[in-house]
Amino acid sequence: MQVIDNVQELINLSRSWDSKKKVGFVPTMGALHQGHFSLVKKARECCDIVVTSIFVNPTQFGPNEDLDSYPKTFENDYNNLKSLGVDYVYYPSVEQMYPKGYKTYVNVEDITKTLCGASRPGHFRGVCTVVLKLVNLVNPTLMFMGEKDFQQIVVLETMLRDLNFDTKIVRCPIVRDFDGLALSSRNKYLSTKEREIAPKFHLAMLNLQKEVLDGNNNRDILYSNINKNLSKEGFTVDYVKIVDDTTLEEVSQVVKGNRLMCAIYLGKTRLIDNLEI
Ligand code: AMP
C-alpha cells in the first residue's frame, strides 16, 4: 500500500491507470472504524484499484465546531487499510488541498439548506468542494459512501449528476455497534456515562418506526412522541424530520419508504442517525 501526500503525484498516478480498470474510492476523515472498513471491503470486492483518502477537511467545519479536536489515528488507520488490501492512501496536508490564494467553492442549492445544512451553515459547501476535488484527482469509477450520512449522499449524487461526472456513488448501509449506536469517529468524544445513554437515540428512532408500522401516520404526533422520548433520556434535539428519500422534503403524511432523519446533542457531542421507515 502506497501513501501519497502530493496532488501532482496523485494526478500522474490516476491518469496512468488503464481506463478499463475499475477504480474504487473511499473518502474519509480518518479515525477509521468498522463503518469505514465496510466501505473499503465493498470497494475491494468490486474494484481493481482501491484508493482511500484521509483528510480532515477544514472547509466543512463551522467556526465553533470540532475541527481542532477531531480524532487523528493515522498509524492505526494505515495498518488497518493495509490489511484490508487498499492500494493507495491519499493523505494530503491542508496546504496541498487549499494552497495560498485558494478561492473556488462548489455549492449545491436547496437540498443543502435543510437538516444538517440548516444546523451547520456552509458544511455542505465544504463537503462538495473537497469531494469534487478528490473525485477530480482520483477519477474513480465508483465512490463508496455510508448511509450514515444520508443527506451527504443525496447532495453528492446531485452534484456529480449536475456537473456531468461519470463517477457513481455506491450507497453502503449504516454499521452499528452491538447496542445499535451508529459507529462514528465522534463517538470517541462520549464519556462512559454518555456512551451508556447513546444507544437510546437509535431506540427512540426504532420506536417511531414501529408507531408508523402500527398505523400512525400523523407526522406531528410522531414528532411530539419522539421529541418527548429523546428529551426524557437526556438528549437535546437538533432536528427530527421525516422526509422523502429523494427530495429530502419533509412529508406531511408519513408512508413506508420515507426517511427519518435525526440529529441530537448528548452533552457537547453532536450525533446523527437516520433510518428508512
Ligand atoms: P467520515 O470519515 O466521517 O467523513 O466518513 C467517511 C465515510 O464513511 C462516509 O461515506 C460516511 O458515511 C461513512 N461512514 C461513517 N460512519 C459510518 C457507519 N457507521 N456506517 C457506514 N458508513 C459510515
Side-chain angles (χ1 to χ4, degrees):
M1 185 175 79
Q2 190 183 333
V3 179
I4 297 166
D5 60 8
N6 179 281
V7 169
Q8 195 55 50
E9 203 185 325
L10 182 57
I11 294 178
N12 294 345
L13 182 75
S14 66
R15 300 317 184 245
S16 75
W17 291 327
D18 178 347
S19 61
K20 286 190 215 74
K21 296 228 165 179
K22 251 189 177 176
V23 179
F25 178 46
V26 184
T28 81
M29 298 209 297
L32 304 179
H33 51 67
Q34 291 297 333
H36 299 109
F37 301 153
S38 71
L39 314 185
V40 172
K41 285 177 197 163
K42 185 95 192 152
R44 189 66 285 173
E45 273 166 38
C46 309
C47 299
D48 303 305
I49 298 170
V50 176
V51 185
T52 303
S53 63
I54 297 180
F55 180 62
V56 182
N57 174 36
T59 65
Q60 71 188 66
F61 287 78
N64 299 317
E65 293 185 352
D66 56 340
L67 173 62
D68 294 335
S69 53
Y70 199 84
K72 292 184 182 64
T73 59
F74 182 74
E75 225 177 279
N76 261 324
D77 295 349
Y78 174 92
N79 291 329
N80 283 313
L81 293 175
K82 191 172 173 191
S83 69
L84 290 171
V86 167
D87 299 300
Y88 301 96
V89 181
Y90 182 49
Y91 182 52
S93 63
V94 173
E95 291 70 32
Q96 279 291 314
M97 293 300 281
Y98 302 107
K100 201 162 172 276
Y102 189 89
K103 295 210 185 301
T104 308
Y105 292 88
V106 183
N107 194 37
V108 172
E109 301 284 318
D110 300 334
I111 51 173
T112 55
K113 298 214 168 70
T114 61
L115 307 165
C116 282
S119 316
R120 305 183 67 189
H123 170 66
F124 287 113
R125 175 181 181 260
V127 169
C128 288
T129 301
V130 78
V131 172
L132 191 79
K133 280 167 71 68
L134 291 168
V135 165
N136 191 37
L137 296 174
V138 177
N139 195 20
T141 325
L142 300 173
M143 179 160 64
F144 296 80
M145 309 206 88
E147 287 191 327
K148 159 95 191 328
D149 300 277
F150 190 83
Q151 185 178 14
Q152 173 169 283
I153 291 186
V154 175
V155 168
L156 292 173
E157 282 175 347
T158 304
M159 176 186 81
L160 293 173
R161 183 203 66 196
D162 289 353
L163 298 179
N164 308 106
F165 276 77
D166 289 334
T167 302
K168 295 280 177 280
I169 293 178
V170 178
R171 296 179 174 208
C172 303
I174 302 176
V175 177
R176 299 181 180 280
D177 219 332
F178 70 98
D179 52 9
L181 177 66
L183 295 183
S184 162
S185 308
R186 290 191 167 94
N187 292 352
K188 287 198 167 77
Y189 300 149
L190 299 171
S191 67
T192 313
K193 184 89 206 301
E194 286 169 341
R195 181 61 191 81
E196 278 167 25
I197 300 167
K200 294 184 174 155
F201 176 28
H202 182 56
L203 283 180
M205 294 173 66
L206 287 175
N207 211 43
L208 182 148
Q209 184 184 47
K210 183 169 182 303
E211 281 179 82
V212 178
L213 298 178
D214 287 347
N216 182 359
N217 66 354
N218 184 311
R219 185 192 75 187
D220 294 330
I221 295 176
L222 293 164
Y223 282 174
S224 160
N225 291 346
I226 190 172
N227 275 304
K228 266 190 234 148
N229 196 346
L230 287 167
S231 311
K232 187 184 78 198
E233 299 296 356
F235 301 106
T236 306
V237 175
D238 178 359
Y239 64 76
V240 167
K241 275 197 176 164
I242 302 171
V243 302
D244 177 274
D245 68 341
T246 24
T247 63
L248 299 182
E249 276 168 27
E250 195 169 26
V251 297
S252 38
Q253 288 277 316
V254 182
V255 294
K256 266 195 196 175
N258 288 157
R259 203 96 192 174
L260 171 62
M261 308 282 287
C262 300
I264 53 95
Y265 285 91
L266 181 51
K268 288 199 176 104
T269 307
R270 185 172 180 277
L271 301 176
I272 60 171
D273 202 346
N274 69 84
L275 54 79
E276 185 183 344
I277 291 171

